PDB file of all heavy atoms in Angstrom:
ATOM      1  N   ARG C  38     -53.264 -88.887  40.413  1.00 98.00           N
ATOM      2  CA  ARG C  38     -54.617 -89.420  40.242  1.00 98.00           C
ATOM      3  C   ARG C  38     -54.778 -90.669  41.093  1.00 98.00           C
ATOM      4  O   ARG C  38     -53.808 -91.361  41.398  1.00 98.00           O
ATOM      5  CB  ARG C  38     -54.902 -89.735  38.778  1.00 98.00           C
ATOM      6  CG  ARG C  38     -54.076 -90.882  38.193  1.00 98.00           C
ATOM      7  CD  ARG C  38     -54.333 -90.998  36.691  1.00 98.00           C
ATOM      8  NE  ARG C  38     -53.595 -92.119  36.115  1.00 98.00           N
ATOM      9  CZ  ARG C  38     -53.547 -92.367  34.815  1.00 98.00           C
ATOM     10  NH1 ARG C  38     -54.193 -91.575  33.948  1.00 98.00           N
ATOM     11  NH2 ARG C  38     -52.870 -93.405  34.370  1.00 98.00           N
ATOM     12  N   GLN C  39     -56.044 -90.921  41.445  1.00 98.00           N
ATOM     13  CA  GLN C  39     -56.351 -92.091  42.248  1.00 98.00           C
ATOM     14  C   GLN C  39     -57.648 -92.706  41.761  1.00 98.00           C
ATOM     15  O   GLN C  39     -58.697 -92.055  41.789  1.00 98.00           O
ATOM     16  CB  GLN C  39     -56.454 -91.736  43.734  1.00 98.00           C
ATOM     17  CG  GLN C  39     -56.605 -92.952  44.618  1.00 98.00           C
ATOM     18  CD  GLN C  39     -56.406 -92.621  46.087  1.00 98.00           C
ATOM     19  OE1 GLN C  39     -56.467 -91.468  46.508  1.00 98.00           O
ATOM     20  NE2 GLN C  39     -56.122 -93.640  46.890  1.00 98.00           N
ATOM     21  N   ALA C  40     -57.557 -93.942  41.322  1.00 97.00           N
ATOM     22  CA  ALA C  40     -58.723 -94.697  40.890  1.00 97.00           C
ATOM     23  C   ALA C  40     -59.224 -95.523  42.069  1.00 97.00           C
ATOM     24  O   ALA C  40     -58.461 -95.805  43.002  1.00 97.00           O
ATOM     25  CB  ALA C  40     -58.353 -95.599  39.719  1.00 97.00           C
ATOM     26  N   PRO C  41     -60.495 -95.929  42.052  1.00 94.00           N
ATOM     27  CA  PRO C  41     -61.047 -96.711  43.167  1.00 94.00           C
ATOM     28  C   PRO C  41     -60.237 -97.972  43.420  1.00 94.00           C
ATOM     29  O   PRO C  41     -59.916 -98.716  42.491  1.00 94.00           O
ATOM     30  CB  PRO C  41     -62.460 -97.037  42.689  1.00 94.00           C
ATOM     31  CG  PRO C  41     -62.800 -95.936  41.751  1.00 94.00           C
ATOM     32  CD  PRO C  41     -61.522 -95.594  41.058  1.00 94.00           C
ATOM     33  N   GLY C  42     -59.868 -98.183  44.666  1.00 95.00           N
ATOM     34  CA  GLY C  42     -59.139 -99.373  45.040  1.00 95.00           C
ATOM     35  C   GLY C  42     -57.662 -99.351  44.718  1.00 95.00           C
ATOM     36  O   GLY C  42     -56.965-100.341  44.935  1.00 95.00           O
ATOM     37  N   LYS C  43     -57.182 -98.226  44.216  1.00 96.00           N
ATOM     38  CA  LYS C  43     -55.770 -98.122  43.856  1.00 96.00           C
ATOM     39  C   LYS C  43     -55.108 -96.997  44.635  1.00 96.00           C
ATOM     40  O   LYS C  43     -55.767 -96.092  45.137  1.00 96.00           O
ATOM     41  CB  LYS C  43     -55.612 -97.886  42.363  1.00 96.00           C
ATOM     42  CG  LYS C  43     -56.092 -99.048  41.499  1.00 96.00           C
ATOM     43  CD  LYS C  43     -55.769 -98.804  40.038  1.00 96.00           C
ATOM     44  CE  LYS C  43     -56.194 -99.978  39.180  1.00 96.00           C
ATOM     45  NZ  LYS C  43     -55.861 -99.748  37.738  1.00 96.00           N
ATOM     46  N   GLU C  44     -53.789 -97.056  44.694  1.00 96.00           N
ATOM     47  CA  GLU C  44     -53.042 -96.005  45.355  1.00 96.00           C
ATOM     48  C   GLU C  44     -52.977 -94.770  44.458  1.00 96.00           C
ATOM     49  O   GLU C  44     -53.082 -94.859  43.228  1.00 96.00           O
ATOM     50  CB  GLU C  44     -51.631 -96.484  45.681  1.00 96.00           C
ATOM     51  CG  GLU C  44     -51.574 -97.533  46.770  1.00 96.00           C
ATOM     52  CD  GLU C  44     -50.153 -97.796  47.228  1.00 96.00           C
ATOM     53  OE1 GLU C  44     -49.210 -97.220  46.652  1.00 96.00           O
ATOM     54  OE2 GLU C  44     -49.988 -98.579  48.181  1.00 96.00           O
ATOM     55  N   ARG C  45     -52.770 -93.647  45.089  1.00 97.00           N
ATOM     56  CA  ARG C  45     -52.581 -92.411  44.337  1.00 97.00           C
ATOM     57  C   ARG C  45     -51.283 -92.510  43.544  1.00 97.00           C
ATOM     58  O   ARG C  45     -50.247 -92.895  44.081  1.00 97.00           O
ATOM     59  CB  ARG C  45     -52.532 -91.224  45.293  1.00 97.00           C
ATOM     60  CG  ARG C  45     -52.422 -89.873  44.611  1.00 97.00           C
ATOM     61  CD  ARG C  45     -52.568 -88.743  45.613  1.00 97.00           C
ATOM     62  NE  ARG C  45     -53.931 -88.697  46.166  1.00 97.00           N
ATOM     63  CZ  ARG C  45     -54.357 -87.753  46.978  1.00 97.00           C
ATOM     64  NH1 ARG C  45     -53.540 -86.771  47.344  1.00 97.00           N
ATOM     65  NH2 ARG C  45     -55.590 -87.776  47.439  1.00 97.00           N
ATOM     66  N   GLU C  46     -51.349 -92.163  42.279  1.00 97.00           N
ATOM     67  CA  GLU C  46     -50.172 -92.291  41.431  1.00 97.00           C
ATOM     68  C   GLU C  46     -49.843 -90.970  40.734  1.00 97.00           C
ATOM     69  O   GLU C  46     -50.726 -90.160  40.444  1.00 97.00           O
ATOM     70  CB  GLU C  46     -50.369 -93.377  40.371  1.00 97.00           C
ATOM     71  CG  GLU C  46     -51.451 -93.101  39.357  1.00 97.00           C
ATOM     72  CD  GLU C  46     -51.502 -94.151  38.253  1.00 97.00           C
ATOM     73  OE1 GLU C  46     -50.695 -95.093  38.265  1.00 97.00           O
ATOM     74  OE2 GLU C  46     -52.356 -94.011  37.360  1.00 97.00           O
ATOM     75  N   PHE C  47     -48.585 -90.802  40.486  1.00 98.00           N
ATOM     76  CA  PHE C  47     -48.078 -89.615  39.819  1.00 98.00           C
ATOM     77  C   PHE C  47     -48.503 -89.594  38.365  1.00 98.00           C
ATOM     78  O   PHE C  47     -48.510 -90.630  37.694  1.00 98.00           O
ATOM     79  CB  PHE C  47     -46.550 -89.601  39.912  1.00 98.00           C
ATOM     80  CG  PHE C  47     -45.889 -88.546  39.092  1.00 98.00           C
ATOM     81  CD1 PHE C  47     -45.871 -87.221  39.516  1.00 98.00           C
ATOM     82  CD2 PHE C  47     -45.268 -88.870  37.902  1.00 98.00           C
ATOM     83  CE1 PHE C  47     -45.252 -86.251  38.767  1.00 98.00           C
ATOM     84  CE2 PHE C  47     -44.644 -87.904  37.136  1.00 98.00           C
ATOM     85  CZ  PHE C  47     -44.637 -86.586  37.567  1.00 98.00           C
ATOM     86  N   VAL C  48     -48.849 -88.407  37.879  1.00 98.00           N
ATOM     87  CA  VAL C  48     -49.217 -88.227  36.477  1.00 98.00           C
ATOM     88  C   VAL C  48     -48.200 -87.328  35.762  1.00 98.00           C
ATOM     89  O   VAL C  48     -47.613 -87.722  34.760  1.00 98.00           O
ATOM     90  CB  VAL C  48     -50.623 -87.623  36.336  1.00 98.00           C
ATOM     91  CG1 VAL C  48     -50.950 -87.369  34.881  1.00 98.00           C
ATOM     92  CG2 VAL C  48     -51.659 -88.542  36.971  1.00 98.00           C
ATOM     93  N   ALA C  49     -48.017 -86.113  36.270  1.00 98.00           N
ATOM     94  CA  ALA C  49     -47.126 -85.157  35.605  1.00 98.00           C
ATOM     95  C   ALA C  49     -46.746 -84.054  36.581  1.00 98.00           C
ATOM     96  O   ALA C  49     -47.481 -83.786  37.533  1.00 98.00           O
ATOM     97  CB  ALA C  49     -47.797 -84.551  34.378  1.00 98.00           C
ATOM     98  N   ALA C  50     -45.605 -83.432  36.319  1.00 97.00           N
ATOM     99  CA  ALA C  50     -45.158 -82.316  37.147  1.00 97.00           C
ATOM    100  C   ALA C  50     -44.450 -81.293  36.285  1.00 97.00           C
ATOM    101  O   ALA C  50     -43.897 -81.626  35.226  1.00 97.00           O
ATOM    102  CB  ALA C  50     -44.217 -82.798  38.254  1.00 97.00           C
ATOM    103  N   ILE C  51     -44.477 -80.067  36.754  1.00 96.00           N
ATOM    104  CA  ILE C  51     -43.753 -78.992  36.086  1.00 96.00           C
ATOM    105  C   ILE C  51     -42.959 -78.232  37.132  1.00 96.00           C
ATOM    106  O   ILE C  51     -43.481 -77.895  38.198  1.00 96.00           O
ATOM    107  CB  ILE C  51     -44.716 -78.048  35.324  1.00 96.00           C
ATOM    108  CG1 ILE C  51     -43.940 -76.954  34.599  1.00 96.00           C
ATOM    109  CG2 ILE C  51     -45.778 -77.446  36.241  1.00 96.00           C
ATOM    110  CD1 ILE C  51     -44.785 -76.184  33.584  1.00 96.00           C
ATOM    111  N   ARG C  52     -41.707 -78.026  36.840  1.00 94.00           N
ATOM    112  CA  ARG C  52     -40.849 -77.261  37.734  1.00 94.00           C
ATOM    113  C   ARG C  52     -40.755 -75.848  37.192  1.00 94.00           C
ATOM    114  O   ARG C  52     -40.461 -75.659  36.011  1.00 94.00           O
ATOM    115  CB  ARG C  52     -39.461 -77.880  37.846  1.00 94.00           C
ATOM    116  CG  ARG C  52     -38.643 -77.213  38.923  1.00 94.00           C
ATOM    117  CD  ARG C  52     -37.271 -77.796  39.115  1.00 94.00           C
ATOM    118  NE  ARG C  52     -36.612 -77.090  40.207  1.00 94.00           N
ATOM    119  CZ  ARG C  52     -35.311 -76.868  40.243  1.00 94.00           C
ATOM    120  NH1 ARG C  52     -34.522 -77.307  39.275  1.00 94.00           N
ATOM    121  NH2 ARG C  52     -34.785 -76.214  41.265  1.00 94.00           N
ATOM    122  N   TRP C  53     -41.022 -74.879  38.030  1.00 89.00           N
ATOM    123  CA  TRP C  53     -41.089 -73.515  37.556  1.00 89.00           C
ATOM    124  C   TRP C  53     -39.741 -73.010  37.064  1.00 89.00           C
ATOM    125  O   TRP C  53     -39.660 -72.341  36.040  1.00 89.00           O
ATOM    126  CB  TRP C  53     -41.615 -72.589  38.652  1.00 89.00           C
ATOM    127  CG  TRP C  53     -43.005 -72.907  39.090  1.00 89.00           C
ATOM    128  CD1 TRP C  53     -43.429 -73.110  40.362  1.00 89.00           C
ATOM    129  CD2 TRP C  53     -44.163 -73.078  38.255  1.00 89.00           C
ATOM    130  NE1 TRP C  53     -44.769 -73.402  40.362  1.00 89.00           N
ATOM    131  CE2 TRP C  53     -45.249 -73.365  39.094  1.00 89.00           C
ATOM    132  CE3 TRP C  53     -44.377 -73.010  36.877  1.00 89.00           C
ATOM    133  CZ2 TRP C  53     -46.534 -73.577  38.606  1.00 89.00           C
ATOM    134  CZ3 TRP C  53     -45.657 -73.221  36.391  1.00 89.00           C
ATOM    135  CH2 TRP C  53     -46.710 -73.497  37.253  1.00 89.00           C
ATOM    136  N   ARG C  54     -38.682 -73.350  37.760  1.00 88.00           N
ATOM    137  CA  ARG C  54     -37.365 -72.897  37.324  1.00 88.00           C
ATOM    138  C   ARG C  54     -36.946 -73.717  36.115  1.00 88.00           C
ATOM    139  O   ARG C  54     -36.727 -74.911  36.204  1.00 88.00           O
ATOM    140  CB  ARG C  54     -36.349 -73.044  38.450  1.00 88.00           C
ATOM    141  CG  ARG C  54     -34.976 -72.502  38.077  1.00 88.00           C
ATOM    142  CD  ARG C  54     -34.034 -72.511  39.270  1.00 88.00           C
ATOM    143  NE  ARG C  54     -32.734 -71.942  38.947  1.00 88.00           N
ATOM    144  CZ  ARG C  54     -31.753 -71.794  39.815  1.00 88.00           C
ATOM    145  NH1 ARG C  54     -31.914 -72.164  41.075  1.00 88.00           N
ATOM    146  NH2 ARG C  54     -30.605 -71.268  39.442  1.00 88.00           N
ATOM    147  N   GLY C  55     -36.886 -73.108  34.988  1.00 87.00           N
ATOM    148  CA  GLY C  55     -36.505 -73.792  33.767  1.00 87.00           C
ATOM    149  C   GLY C  55     -37.665 -74.373  32.993  1.00 87.00           C
ATOM    150  O   GLY C  55     -37.532 -74.680  31.811  1.00 87.00           O
ATOM    151  N   GLY C  56     -38.797 -74.538  33.670  1.00 88.00           N
ATOM    152  CA  GLY C  56     -39.976 -75.045  32.986  1.00 88.00           C
ATOM    153  C   GLY C  56     -39.932 -76.509  32.617  1.00 88.00           C
ATOM    154  O   GLY C  56     -40.690 -76.962  31.759  1.00 88.00           O
ATOM    155  N   SER C  57     -39.061 -77.276  33.265  1.00 93.00           N
ATOM    156  CA  SER C  57     -38.974 -78.691  32.914  1.00 93.00           C
ATOM    157  C   SER C  57     -40.232 -79.439  33.345  1.00 93.00           C
ATOM    158  O   SER C  57     -40.890 -79.073  34.322  1.00 93.00           O
ATOM    159  CB  SER C  57     -37.753 -79.315  33.571  1.00 93.00           C
ATOM    160  OG  SER C  57     -37.805 -79.189  34.979  1.00 93.00           O
ATOM    161  N   THR C  58     -40.562 -80.470  32.575  1.00 96.00           N
ATOM    162  CA  THR C  58     -41.746 -81.276  32.853  1.00 96.00           C
ATOM    163  C   THR C  58     -41.365 -82.752  32.943  1.00 96.00           C
ATOM    164  O   THR C  58     -40.394 -83.196  32.338  1.00 96.00           O
ATOM    165  CB  THR C  58     -42.808 -81.089  31.767  1.00 96.00           C
ATOM    166  OG1 THR C  58     -42.239 -81.422  30.498  1.00 96.00           O
ATOM    167  CG2 THR C  58     -43.313 -79.656  31.737  1.00 96.00           C
TER     168      THR C  58
END
Side-chain angles (χ1 to χ4, degrees):
R38 67 186 182 186
Q39 187 168 18
K43 295 186 178 181
E44 290 190 356
R45 184 172 293 185
E46 65 174 0
F47 171 77
V48 177
I51 182 167
R52 189 179 182 213
W53 297 128
R54 184 173 183 178
S57 59
T58 57

